[in-house]
Amino acid sequence: MARPKKWRKVCCLPKQNRYGPLMGGRMAEESINMTIDEYETIRLIDLEEFTQEDCAKQMNIARTTVQGIYNSARMKLADSLVNGKILLIKGGEYELCDGLEEFCRCGGCHKHRCAALLQQEREKR
């Protein structure tokens, strides 16, 4: 029997999910798909300057898994930049965290949930 997949905790979703060249008529088949969990490793390690160990704790996965995800994400970023391909960020095996994680520093969880609640309140009025 196969081991069940472990959902990766993600703090916040990207504000934009499509990146690419401003000029040129690249076709849709020349796009690269980066998963949300790959995006999260790039955000945590490169932007937030987490170690791979801290990133693993935040995402609730093994450090070796983080290393594999991170390497895959870096290859996709490089391919997009060097070859002018469209980068799409979507999918993956993830769940949004509740904002209570010890290492959560972006505040994105809380901000996004508060913004969603405010929007729901406005829609009720």
Side-chain angles (χ1 to χ4, degrees), residues 5-45:
K5 289 277 185 185
K6 200 170 192 182
W7 294 97
R8 290 113 189 221
K9 288 200 185 247
V10 170
C11 207
C12 47
L13 298 175
K15 293 177 184 174
Q16 300 290 323
N17 67 346
R18 181 183 168 105
Y19 300 89
L22 297 175
M23 294 194 222
R26 291 285 182 181
M27 308 279 279
E29 61 265 8
E30 292 192 52
S31 64
I32 300 168
N33 184 49
M34 177 183 283
T35 62
I36 301 291
D37 48 329
E38 288 172 329
Y39 163 83
E40 183 73 347
T41 61
I42 293 289
R43 187 185 72 78
L44 291 175
I45 294 171

Side-chain angles (χ1 to χ4, degrees), residues 45-62:
I45 294 171
D46 292 335
L47 184 64
E48 297 292 331
E49 299 181 337
F50 278 31
T51 63
Q52 287 186 5
E53 291 82 13
D54 289 342
C55 180
K57 288 177 189 174
Q58 169 69 22
M59 294 181 71
N60 196 30
I61 54 177

